[in-house]
Amino acid sequence: MIEVRRATPGDAGALLGLQLRLDRESAFMLLEPGERDPSAGRGLGRRLLERAVTEARQAGLARLELTVMCHNRPALGLYLACGFQVEGLRRSALEVGGRRVDEYYMGLLLE
């Protein structure tokens, strides 16, 4: 069972290691098909995002914002399912693998 909890300063090293690993393995912040065994982490992204929304509400934040590459359909689907809405399009916002790609600007009102 994977525990979802608020990160502490003691988690900084492990979180940085995870971010560096993802940077090497994927052009996305999330996984691409075949990178990891889906049976071990199925639903984890949703649980983490739902926990982040809960923490943000408890902290009194009014909204959350994020960006996602337009062709990253799994992540886009997750964000939409969790209540985020597309608020804008940033054309040719990033360069990935020598190609310019668009990204969506998304937001979730917490009030």
Side-chain angles (χ1 to χ4, degrees):
M1 183 69 174
I2 297 174
E3 178 186 2
V4 176
R5 62 174 174 76
R6 184 183 297 204
T8 65
D11 297 318
L15 289 173
L16 177 59
L18 174 62
Q19 290 170 328
L20 293 173
R21 181 177 172 192
L22 287 174
D23 288 345
R24 288 190 308 269
E25 292 180 4
S26 174
F28 298 118
M29 289 180 63
L30 296 176
L31 304 176
E32 290 186 333
E35 284 186 337
R36 291 187 212 169
D37 180 354
S39 63
R42 188 124 181 100
L44 182 59
R46 177 182 289 273
R47 288 178 46 211
L48 289 169
L49 189 55
E50 288 171 349
R51 181 64 183 257
V53 169
T54 298
E55 293 285 338
R57 281 193 173 109
Q58 290 175 350
L61 297 180
R63 64 181 277 126
L64 291 176
E65 302 172 351
L66 60 86
T67 60
V68 61
M69 291 179 228
C70 294
H71 65 279
N72 187 351
R73 297 296 181 192
L76 180 59
L78 171 64
Y79 302 141
L80 291 170
C82 287
F84 283 82
Q85 295 181 350
V86 174
E87 296 180 338
L89 172 66
R90 297 183 57 213
R91 295 179 16 232
S92 294
L94 304 167
E95 184 172 319
V96 177
R99 287 184 39 233
R100 301 298 300 178
V101 297
D102 299 342
E103 70 178 358
Y104 289 123
Y105 189 80
M106 300 182 77
L108 172 67
L109 297 179
L110 300 174
E111 300 174 326

